Amino acid sequence: MNRAMKSAVIVFPGSNCDRDAARALERISGAPAAMVWHKETDLPERTDLVVLPGGFSYGDYLRSGAMSALAPVMRAVVAHAERGGLVLGICNGFQVLTETRLLPGALLRNAGLKFACKDVPLAIANGNTAFTRAYREARETEIPIAHGDGRFVADEATLDRLEGEGRVVFRYLANPNGSARDIAAIVNERGNVMGMMPHPERASDPALGRTGGTAVFQSLLEAA
């Protein structure tokens, strides 16, 4: 029998979705997630998946995610990713991934300069990733967003490369923030690191009335 997936959720000062992410992971995998404080220098032994949760780490001072990218634990997260370990950055976590250069591009203030908080329809642009395979034949889903700095930007060459390499994972069907080419989520070249602005942990339990994000965690369970 395969061992249970071991997951770790990084907790920064200002994180507000860390417990939600941990609850979603435990519900779907059957195993509790380790909560790892930002000052730690190592991940738990044999960690399969690291989640960088949403929130406002360090109060979004300087730039969203900029200070978190320098936290002691991020050296271990980067090393985990470089070994091929799975990493999921959600909302603020996506911002941290771009600041550490584990993912290209940047997340800027939403077009219109307003905080966006609502359910959004998404196209599954690549259903053959470690983060989306459990969607099977589905082409669309719906997952809520909650961000003020969610507009994904990159130069045209980078955008072309992301498109050409199949690294755009989700797209907005009704763009809520002005993201380039309607991009809501991307993966790295190796396919083991994904950043997404929508919050799958908020759409992973029937009790919440939303289940469109469940397959993200199911996919990771299968991949691990």
Side-chain angles (χ1 to χ4, degrees):
M1 174 181 274
N2 293 333
R3 66 179 178 85
M5 177 177 73
K6 291 193 66 172
S7 56
V9 178
I10 307 302
V11 183
F12 299 101
S15 295
N16 64 10
C17 298
D18 48 336
R19 303 293 166 177
D20 298 319
R23 185 177 179 86
L25 287 164
E26 182 171 0
R27 179 179 173 275
I28 291 165
S29 72
M35 309 302 289
V36 181
W37 186 233
H38 69 118
K39 289 186 177 180
E40 297 293 333
T41 55
D42 293 302
L43 297 172
E45 187 177 357
R46 298 179 71 187
T47 294
D48 299 301
L49 166 68
V50 175
V51 176
L52 303 176
F56 303 91
S57 59
Y58 294 94
D60 279 351
Y61 290 118
L62 300 182
R63 291 183 309 277
S64 297
M67 293 180 70
S68 295
L70 300 176
V73 75
M74 287 307 299
R75 295 189 187 93
V77 174
V78 170
H80 173 78
E82 290 176 345
R83 290 193 300 269
L86 294 165
V87 179
L88 171 62
I90 302 169
C91 198
N92 186 229
F94 189 1
Q95 296 160 347
V96 174
L97 289 175
T98 62
E99 290 289 340
T100 58
R101 309 318 300 163
L102 285 172
L103 291 175
L107 283 306
L108 303 183
R109 188 65 56 89
N110 294 347
L113 306 182
K114 292 183 179 180
F115 189 87
C117 183
K118 59 183 178 180
D119 293 336
V120 295
L122 300 168
I124 301 164
N126 186 345
N128 190 32
T129 75
F131 305 88
T132 54
R133 290 193 185 107
Y135 281 103
R136 310 305 181 204
E137 301 303 316
R139 298 187 178 215
E140 296 179 9
T141 189
E142 186 173 87
I143 301 176
I145 58 168
H147 58 251
D149 298 285
R151 179 167 58 95
F152 180 76
V153 298
D155 60 75
E156 289 299 311
T158 297
L159 292 170
D160 288 343
R161 186 167 64 254
L162 290 171
E163 301 262 23
E165 295 175 355
R167 291 167 55 193
V168 177
V169 182
F170 291 105
R171 292 186 198 275
Y172 299 112
L173 291 172
N175 195 325
N177 52 31
S179 285
R181 304 190 190 182
D182 301 323
I183 291 172
I186 61 172
V187 291
N188 65 342
E189 291 182 13
R190 194 169 178 176
N192 62 306
V193 177
M194 183 172 81
M196 63 185 300
M197 288 311 296
H199 285 265
E201 78 283 5
R202 298 186 183 183
S204 60
D205 189 332
L208 300 175
R210 305 181 181 97
T211 58
T214 304
V216 171
F217 298 106
Q218 290 174 332
S219 298
L220 288 164
L221 181 60
E222 292 177 15

